[in-house]
Amino acid sequence: MEIIAGSLYFVSNDFFAKVNDPYLKINYESTKRPHYFAFFDNATGLYWLVPCSSKIEKFERLIQKKKEQHKPTDTIQIVKIFDRKTVLLFQDMFPATARYIDGQYVKGGQAVRIADPKVILELEKTARKIIKLLHRGVRFTPTQPDVLKIERLMIEELKA
């Protein structure tokens, strides 16, 4: 399957079973959720998956609180997808191989995606910045997945 920039995807249950990280947002039993904004990392050959949330008000309050405390807010981005606001949680993103990307999010027969190429470039720029911070040991939340461990595991799998 071709992974298209700006499109949203699902992650297979096999991935969550393999990495076994208690802080990853695993798939719901009854629906195909959560879904993820995916982008390719040229440095490793992995895809980084950014969880999406529909809890707009919750994250707008959180962003406002961070702004009032003069803290950076780029770990949480709110974008329009299909004319609806969606929250991208860069603070919870993780890497995976293409093998674990379990299909594109399709709604009403149409692929759910970010249409504006400029927005996609900005989001990818933010993601690369967050990855650099993660590699320097920065933690954004107490419930942050161990992405460096996951990254090592996925790189080993790519090499095998």
Side-chain angles (χ1 to χ4, degrees), residues 1-10 35-36 80-83 103-115:
M1 166 179 53
E2 180 187 3
I3 311 300
I4 302 162
S7 291
L8 303 184
Y9 295 90
F10 299 106
H35 49 275
Y36 301 86
K80 276 209 169 182
I81 301 174
F82 271 16
D83 287 329
Q104 192 172 22
Y105 183 12
V106 176
K107 191 173 184 178
Q110 272 191 302
V112 177
R113 61 186 315 272
I114 298 165

Side-chain angles (χ1 to χ4, degrees), residues 3-23:
I3 311 300
I4 302 162
S7 291
L8 303 184
Y9 295 90
F10 299 106
V11 176
S12 74
N13 289 330
D14 293 345
F15 174 81
F16 299 108
K18 180 172 182 90
V19 301
N20 194 27
D21 187 299
Y23 297 121

